[in-house]
Amino acid sequence: MRVDKYLWCVRYYKSRNIATEACKKNQVSVNDQVCKASREVYPGDSIHFRKDQITYEIVVLDLPPNRVGAKLVDIYRKDNTPAEAFAHLELLRLSKEHYRRAGTGRPTKKDRRDLDELEENTWSDDETE
């Protein structure tokens, strides 16, 4: 089975086209070799690919006949991705939320003035030291 089709079948990508594009961008490697989308995978192969700032490491256990349901994915692959990768992604998400909460929209004029005033006070405090 082609590597792009396999990654689509085990639900890592929404479409085969997206999986093929990842292969073209050299984000997918089989057995530590960068591969094309047409590369055949077999049970026992190790696949490394980068998606959403996480480098996934999976081992092919079996080849699915077609796209499988989310509950059946574990029959066909073993995920060896380190937990630190997911923790790093969560940390990135929380750090972005620190500056401005999601869904609050753009700053109002009053918010902008308050930010400018805060910056002025910070700069003036630094100059006096």
Side-chain angles (χ1 to χ4, degrees), residues 32-124:
D32 296 325
Q33 294 180 340
V34 176
C35 64
K36 294 182 180 180
S38 61
R39 167 79 185 261
E40 293 288 321
V41 292
Y42 302 100
D45 283 348
S46 173
I47 301 175
H48 293 69
F49 61 98
R50 186 154 176 83
K51 180 183 173 213
D52 298 333
Q53 297 184 349
I54 296 178
T55 302
Y56 291 91
E57 301 171 13
I58 62 172
V59 176
V60 179
L61 297 179
D62 198 8
L63 300 177
N66 51 16
R67 190 166 166 97
V68 295
K71 293 181 180 179
L72 302 176
V73 167
D74 290 333
I75 297 171
Y76 301 104
R77 60 104 171 127
K78 181 181 179 199
D79 194 351
N80 293 334
T81 307
E84 296 87 39
F86 296 107
H88 179 69
L89 186 67
E90 182 67 18
L91 185 65
L92 282 175
R93 187 183 66 78
L94 291 174
S95 68
K96 288 179 184 175
E97 207 172 83
H98 168 74
Y99 294 107
R100 188 152 185 90
R101 293 240 177 250
T104 56
R106 291 177 54 184
T108 62
K109 261 189 181 177
K110 184 177 182 329
D111 292 339
R112 187 72 217 159
R113 287 184 191 127
D114 291 342
L115 286 171
D116 289 341
E117 185 178 320
L118 181 65
E119 285 179 4
E120 272 183 28
N121 290 338
T122 304
W123 284 105
S124 62

